[in-house]
């Protein structure tokens, strides 16, 4: 969860980028390229915003996904609608998401 929060904050601050750029920009070890890609593709806080062509050592080109962070007000909507079944319980979300949702719910209840 901590990795998701750090990557989300980084992408919000710096803008969309590839996994390789995220790994280069963050100075701590996140995991393998595949692990990060899987986490980004499964997490509602991130979205694919395009592709970028990168040169391989062989001289060939490959398309890689460019990831963006979804703004918190959009990403947290699913936790603010009480009619929806919670597939992702709020209790298991990063602290910054929980705080945002709790603040919004408190505002609604005033």
């Amino acid at each position: 969860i901590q990795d998701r929060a750090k990557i989300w904050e980084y992408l919000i601050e710096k803008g969309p980028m590839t996994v390789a750029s995220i790994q280069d920009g963050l100075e701590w070890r996140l995991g393998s390229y595949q692990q990060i890609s899987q986490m980004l593709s499964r997490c509602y806080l991130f979205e694919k915003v395009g592709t970028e062509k990168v040169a391989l050592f062989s001289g060939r080109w490959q398309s890689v996904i460019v990831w963006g962070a979804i703004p918190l007000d959009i990403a947290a909507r699913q936790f603010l609608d009480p009619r929806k079944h919670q597939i992702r319980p709020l209790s298991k979300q990063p602290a910054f998401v929980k705080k945002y949702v709790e603040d919004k719910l408190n505002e609604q209840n005033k």
Side-chain angles (χ1 to χ4, degrees):
I1 289 180
Q2 214 172 17
D3 288 352
R4 285 187 289 178
K6 285 190 185 288
I7 294 171
W8 183 85
E9 289 170 1
Y10 187 70
L11 290 177
I12 287 291
E13 180 185 330
K14 302 288 186 183
M17 59 183 64
T18 64
V19 171
S21 297
I22 293 168
Q23 285 178 310
D24 290 345
L26 293 173
E27 297 177 3
W28 42 273
R29 187 77 181 134
L30 296 167
S32 73
Y33 185 93
Q34 288 80 11
Q35 289 170 323
I36 297 167
S37 292
Q38 279 185 341
M39 185 268 297
L40 293 173
S41 66
R42 291 182 182 154
C43 184
Y44 65 94
L45 294 168
F46 307 100
E47 65 182 344
K48 297 173 185 175
V49 296
T51 58
E52 189 176 288
K53 290 218 181 266
V54 296
L56 302 175
F57 291 112
S58 64
R60 299 173 71 194
W61 292 84
Q62 178 178 347
S63 288
V64 294
I65 296 169
V66 176
W67 293 95
I70 296 177
L72 196 51
D73 61 327
I74 296 169
R77 281 185 191 156
Q78 63 188 303
F79 301 109
L80 295 170
D81 188 346
R83 294 181 306 271
K84 287 187 179 176
H85 173 66
Q86 296 285 327
I87 293 172
R88 302 176 181 106
L90 183 59
S91 61
K92 300 215 188 261
Q93 302 313 307
F96 73 98
V97 174
K98 285 190 266 193
K99 179 170 180 359
Y100 178 85
V101 170
E102 289 165 1
D103 290 348
K104 286 293 181 189
L105 290 173
N106 286 338
E107 283 177 23
Q108 289 176 4
N109 293 333
K110 285 185 180 177

